[in-house]
């Protein structure tokens, strides 16, 4: 790249570091573009060449976030990155099947033992809730209930 890289060179350099959602990459390129049409043209070309994919970004980021968070939180994070609704639905569907196991793993790392009091159980539940796990899963984890 020369002293003043082209819009396409900037986009490829950003994608070389990590995957980006289309909206996220558009936002980063907008300050270097003369018009929004230039950005859209570059993004369309990158998508056509399969260098830019919301689905791939959502799957990878969803898997990484899913190790620490529930499906609700992962979907909110991805929505904030501008991921398309279809890709959000696919990630949420993938994560829902392992929600209980992931919540138990997160709980185990943080607490490891069942609560001895209602106050401690509530504290554990709030922690899991802040991580985006649904109430039915939280209840089963903090009470130590086995798979039903």
């Amino acid at each position: 790249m020369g002293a003043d890289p082209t819009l396409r060179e900037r986009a490829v350099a950003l994608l070389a570091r990590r995957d980006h959602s289309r909206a996220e990459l558009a936002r980063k390129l907008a300050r270097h573009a003369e018009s929004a049409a230039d950005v859209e043209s570059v993004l369309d070309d990158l998508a056509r060449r399969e260098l830019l994919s919301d689905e791939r970004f959502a799957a990878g980021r969803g898997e990484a976030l899913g190790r620490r968070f529930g499906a609700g939180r992962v979907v909110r994070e991805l929505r904030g990155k501008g991921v398309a609704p279809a890709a959000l639905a696919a990630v949420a569907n993938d994560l829902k099947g392992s929600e209980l196991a992931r919540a138990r793993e997160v709980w185990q790392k943080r607490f490891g033992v069942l609560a001895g009091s209602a106050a401690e159980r509530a504290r554990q539940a709030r922690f899991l809730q802040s991580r985006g796990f649904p109430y039915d899963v939280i209840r089963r984890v903090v009470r130590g209930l086995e798979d039903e």
Side-chain angles (χ1 to χ4, degrees), residues 41-90:
S41 173
V42 168
L43 296 177
D44 289 343
D45 181 53
L46 293 172
R48 194 172 30 260
R49 295 171 187 257
E50 296 182 3
L51 296 173
L52 177 64
S53 167
D54 266 3
E55 291 77 17
R56 185 177 58 234
F57 170 77
R61 189 72 181 134
E63 182 180 330
L65 290 171
R67 292 184 203 116
R68 298 183 343 252
F69 301 109
R73 172 93 176 257
V74 172
V75 167
R76 277 192 307 275
E77 296 275 335
L78 293 175
R79 189 176 294 126
K81 297 283 186 187
V83 173
L88 286 176

Side-chain angles (χ1 to χ4, degrees), residues 107 111 114-130 135 138 142-143:
W107 175 86
F111 300 106
L114 290 174
S117 68
E120 178 61 19
R121 202 168 25 255
R123 188 171 80 81
Q124 291 180 6
R126 282 191 306 274
F127 170 76
L128 290 173
Q129 185 179 22
S130 74
Y135 178 73
I138 293 170
V142 299
R143 294 200 180 270

Side-chain angles (χ1 to χ4, degrees), residues 2-19:
D4 193 22
T6 66
L7 206 53
R8 187 177 196 294
E9 289 170 337
R10 286 180 193 275
V12 170
L14 288 168
L15 289 171
R17 290 186 197 112
R18 70 170 177 84
D19 263 337

Side-chain angles (χ1 to χ4, degrees), residues 80-148:
K81 297 283 186 187
V83 173
L88 286 176
V91 168
N93 193 36
D94 288 348
L95 291 173
K96 296 256 187 222
S98 63
E99 195 94 278
L100 181 61
R102 289 182 301 103
R104 280 192 176 128
E105 188 175 317
V106 168
W107 175 86
Q108 183 66 38
K109 284 181 184 176
R110 173 81 166 151
F111 300 106
V113 294
L114 290 174
S117 68
E120 178 61 19
R121 202 168 25 255
R123 188 171 80 81
Q124 291 180 6
R126 282 191 306 274
F127 170 76
L128 290 173
Q129 185 179 22
S130 74
R131 293 294 180 111
F133 291 102
Y135 178 73
D136 60 321
V137 168
I138 293 170
R139 183 183 58 78
R140 291 171 67 190
V141 170
V142 299
R143 294 200 180 270
L145 300 175
E146 295 301 317
D147 293 340
E148 294 170 353

